[in-house]
Structure formats: C-alpha cells, structure tokens
Amino acid sequence: MSLDWFQKWALYSPEKIAIKEWNTKRALSYRELNRQAIQWSQYLLDRGFQKGDRLGVLSEFRLEYFILLGVAQKTGIILVPLNYRLSARELQYMTQDSGCKLLLMESQFTPDPNCPVPIDSLESFAEEASKVEMNELSCPKPEGQDPLFILYTSGTTGFPKGALYTHEMAIWNSLNTALRLEVNANDRCLQIMPPFHTGGWNVLSTPLLHFGASLILMPKFEPEECLRALAEESISLFMAVPTMVRMLSEAPNFEAADLAALRYFIVGGEALAIPLIEKWAAKGVPIRQGYGLTEVGPNVTSLNAEDAIRKRGSIGFVNFYYDWKLISEAGTEASTGEKGELWLKSPCVSPGYWNNPDATASSRKGDWFKTGDVLIRDEEGYLYLVDRLKNMYISGGENIYPSEIEHFLSLHPDILENVVVGVPDSKWGEVGCAFISSNAILNEADLRAYCEKGMARFKIPKHFVFLDELPKNTAGKIDRHALHSRFQQD
C-alpha cells in the first residue's frame, strides 16, 4: 500500500493549492509539492541518507517543512521537529538522543556551534535540492509501522522523551478526524499551531493533506491578523487553544470579521468559559472541544458543538477507531462518576519512545496504553478530564511538566529542595509557581536569570516562593497539594 499522499493528489488534483503562506503569499500546488518532494528526496539520498535516518528541523511552519513531510513519506527518513523556543542545552539533548544525521535550521534561528550534528541552512538546502534533476526514486519505501516523526514531549524524569509517530498512526488518526470532524477535500484550514507539537502536525495538518484539502500557514499568532486571514481565505476549520480564542474575541476587528465560511473552532486544553462559548456562538462559530496526547492520535475524543454549553468541561466521546476503559485506583474498571485512568488500544497508539525501553514498558499494560490522565464518565457517557497523574499543567496552550523544571532547578548549588505546581492565571490559564528552600540568600531575579540560561522561557515559573522548609506528607514526600493550597490562600 502506498503511503505517499502527495503523489496521489498530484494525480487527482494537480493544480489545487495544497499549502500557502499567509505572510508571504508563496504557495504550492499538489503537483509542485510532489515534484519538489521527489527532488529533495533524491538530494538527501545522494548525500548518504537512508530509510530510518533522522533529520532534525528547527523552523516555523513554512512550505519547505511540508516538502520534507513528502520526503519522509517517499523515503522513510524520520523527521525530528525541534522546538525553536528551547534553549541550546535542551536542543542539544534532543539532537544527540535522536541521533540526527543532519539539522536543517531556518536562518532566523542562530546555529549552535556546539551542536553534535552538521547544520545546514534550510533556505540554502532548499535552493540546492530544487536544482536536482527529476528522476524516479530508487529506494526502500516506508511501511505502516515505520516512524514518520520523533516528537519530543516533556518527560517526568527531567528529560524529554521522543515519542515515535508512525505512518500508520497518521492514516488512522486522519480517518478518526475525518469521521468526527467531517473533514473533506473542500476544507481550508488556517494552521497557526507550532510544528514542534503533535497538534501542529496531526490535529488538522496531516488529516487535511490526506484528504486533499488546503492549508494556510501563519507562523505567529496576532489576533487582528488572524481574524483577517480567517475571513479573506474563507477558512472552514481552525484549531486554537483557549487563550487564543479569548484574544480573538477581544480584538478590535472581531465584530466586523466575516467568518461565514468557518464551520467551527477546534479547541484543546482547559475548558472554555460559557460566556466565551456564547460569544462565539452569537458570531455563528460553534466550538468543538476535545482531548488528545502525543503518544495516541492525537485526536482521541471530541465533544459535539451542540453540547458545548450543556456539557461544558466535557471532552465528549472517544473517537471512532479506539477501544478504551477507565481503570480505578483499585485496578478495576471505574463505574459511572468514579475516577479512573484512561487506557487506550488503537492503531493510533505509538509503538513507544525512541531509545527508551523503560518508558515504553511503563506506559503499557499488555496491549493497552496507559495515558496517565484521570477521567470520569457521567451518566450519559460523556467524559471529563479531572486530573493529570504526571502533575502536568497547561499554560497558554503549552503542556508543562513540573519535574523537568524541578530537575533543572535542583542543579543550582544553593537550592536544597524545590517543587513546581501549576496555579491559576487570568491570562494564561495556568502558570508555574516554584517553591524553594535554600541554604543561601536567593531572590526571584537571580533564579529567573539562572532559568533563562538553560530553559525555554515559557517553562520558567511566573512565581517564586521561598520557604525555610517544604511541607511533607506522611510518606515523607513533598506535599504538592498543600503548596497549591498555600498559593491560593496567599
């Protein structure tokens, strides 16, 4: 079975625009996208690349990124999308861990001279690859279980984990998405999510490209400009995080924006406030909320738009091609209204983590993937996310794992103990609060400067609280719940 979507759509709809950049107006038809993917594939093969080699990419979404997606489908080269918001230290860990053979970097991002892999400018690479003579590729083709991406997620041990995302996962996730969100070739999607998240690739981008639809790329979120693009490009589907939904509704051109073509917003993360849902409904734009995770799907559940208010806070029902169950603390299947960890079984489940058999094994129970997320099911069968076993919190749409921050803070010579918890914030939904006990006099400015040297800015806690000693529970472990309550009381 061919896994080469662009080759198919180059035959079926050759002149149709597949990808367009909103800011530059550059565009690629399916014919041109396929042609360049063949040329780029040959260029990499000529440079010694083989099926299974890893190619790191540090770039915003742009036409060239999707040409590389075509390369991956034609050759079995594995893409490693890297987060341009991370520090050099964090990026170096990912490139070393994944064993990238080459790192393609957009010119706006400063190369790290200590990077352990060769660095090429994405722009110069594109120029040279486009000069390659068109020939039929002669190379082993990827199979369904071969990795398409290695997507790094924040880990619970202080280091990120590289989740394997296969070609088969992309196909089944696309089918799940199309069945629940009614995706078809006539859709037009404004893509504003970043490429280093599974959400940027797999909530809407890969499903729409699988179905021969069109993507409009906007690298940076600016509310007024986003509303203009939604209107002028006749966008039919749009994914946003709650902070973006609110900021769009507060933009000065919100009332005047013509969003008649927009069928609905797809919103992930924390639940939206009912007044915000109602404000968009009055604008004629329904809200569909859902749940997902990098290792599965990511499109796991969906809440119908007509239930957005009646079932506010729900993540809806599990999507089409999944088996699922909720497992209580007692190890039995949870009953209605009882908390249970969500377990999933599906061809959308990742085969595991790159170079990390222990993490892979701990995430499984036989054929079941243990999500680490605690849900409840109401009497009508609707699901609600009530807790995260891994203490993750969501800040402005970013999943943040406290243990990763805690690990870096623990390297500070004057910090004895630290714990980070997510606390409410009016702008970002949640932000980090670091509770610190120290053997020296520290202040917030010192710690913020320390964090900026080795941590992405969005991970740096907004609040720092200094205590003589951190509270412990009866097991002698730091009591996160007590610290969270203390912050709310203060």
Side-chain angles (χ1 to χ4, degrees), residues 169 292-300 322 344 346 348-350 369 371:
M169 288 174 68
L293 62 164
T294 301
E295 296 90 340
V296 185
N299 298 330
V300 176
Y322 287 102
L344 295 164
S346 168
C348 289
V349 173
S350 169
F369 178 84
T371 66

Side-chain angles (χ1 to χ4, degrees), residues 324-355:
W324 66 279
K325 56 186 177 182
L326 301 182
I327 301 299
S328 70
E329 290 185 3
T332 59
E333 290 203 36
S335 57
T336 298
E338 182 183 10
K339 293 179 181 179
E341 182 184 8
L342 177 64
W343 289 18
L344 295 164
K345 183 164 58 175
S346 168
C348 289
V349 173
S350 169
Y353 300 99
W354 175 266
N355 200 28

Side-chain angles (χ1 to χ4, degrees), residues 170-469:
I171 292 171
W172 285 100
N173 176 67
S174 173
L175 294 174
N176 271 326
T177 306
L179 284 166
R180 291 293 283 126
L181 301 181
E182 302 171 12
V183 171
N184 61 70
N186 297 318
D187 277 317
R188 295 172 62 79
C189 172
L190 181 66
Q191 178 53 267
I192 208 163
M193 305 301 291
F196 48 81
H197 280 174
T198 190
W201 282 107
N202 300 311
V203 170
L204 285 176
S205 293
T206 52
L208 265 73
L209 291 171
H210 188 196
F211 280 81
S214 299
L215 289 179
I216 314 300
L217 308 178
M218 178 175 280
K220 291 184 174 62
F221 175 67
E222 297 172 351
E224 290 183 67
E225 194 69 9
C226 183
L227 285 169
R228 275 193 286 274
L230 291 170
E232 292 179 21
E233 293 289 346
S234 299
I235 298 299
S236 59
L237 293 176
F238 179 62
M239 180 195 176
V241 298
T243 300
M244 292 163 56
V245 176
R246 177 183 56 78
M247 293 173 72
L248 287 169
S249 72
E250 295 171 352
N253 57 338
F254 172 74
E255 296 297 338
D258 179 5
L259 305 180
L262 193 58
R263 289 196 279 128
Y264 41 76
F265 276 0
I266 299 161
V267 180
E270 67 269 20
L272 287 177
I274 289 178
L276 190 55
I277 296 172
E278 291 175 332
K279 186 173 184 178
W280 280 101
K283 184 74 174 171
V285 180
I287 300 289
R288 291 198 65 151
Q289 298 181 86
Y291 158 87
L293 62 164
T294 301
E295 296 90 340
V296 185
N299 298 330
V300 176
T301 77
S302 182
L303 178 69
N304 293 337
E306 57 267 27
D307 290 328
I309 294 176
R310 184 177 76 90
K311 291 292 183 178
R312 192 257 175 185
S314 172
I315 57 174
F317 301 112
V318 171
N319 287 339
F320 215 86
Y321 292 110
Y322 287 102
D323 291 330
W324 66 279
K325 56 186 177 182
L326 301 182
I327 301 299
S328 70
E329 290 185 3
T332 59
E333 290 203 36
S335 57
T336 298
E338 182 183 10
K339 293 179 181 179
E341 182 184 8
L342 177 64
W343 289 18
L344 295 164
K345 183 164 58 175
S346 168
C348 289
V349 173
S350 169
Y353 300 99
W354 175 266
N355 200 28
N356 198 334
D358 290 342
T360 299
S362 66
S363 68
R364 297 294 198 279
K365 183 70 173 180
D367 293 336
W368 292 91
F369 178 84
K370 301 185 292 181
T371 66
D373 289 327
V374 178
L375 279 65
I376 60 170
R377 179 180 65 249
D378 72 13
E379 63 283 352
E380 295 181 74
Y382 289 80
L383 294 168
Y384 295 78
L385 180 65
V386 296
D387 198 3
R388 295 178 174 88
L389 294 180
K390 301 171 184 177
N391 300 311
M392 183 190 81
Y393 60 92
I394 300 173
S395 184
E398 294 280 356
N399 292 351
I400 300 181
Y401 288 80
S403 61
E404 190 175 1
I405 305 169
E406 291 161 3
H407 173 78
F408 186 70
L409 287 173
S410 70
L411 301 177
H412 192 290
D414 295 323
I415 290 179
L416 298 175
E417 291 183 314
N418 80 91
V419 72
V420 177
V421 300
V423 297
D425 184 81
S426 59
K427 181 176 182 180
W428 301 111
E430 293 176 290
V431 294
C433 177
F435 292 89
I436 307 289
S437 68
S438 171
N439 59 4
I441 298 175
L442 294 175
N443 59 52
E444 180 172 330
D446 291 336
L447 284 185
R448 196 170 297 281
Y450 169 75
C451 290
E452 288 175 352
K453 293 177 181 178
M455 192 185 303
R457 292 184 65 86
F458 68 86
K459 297 180 184 178
I460 298 175
K462 182 177 180 179
H463 309 284
F464 289 85
V465 178
F466 298 92
L467 301 174
D468 292 334
E469 185 178 351

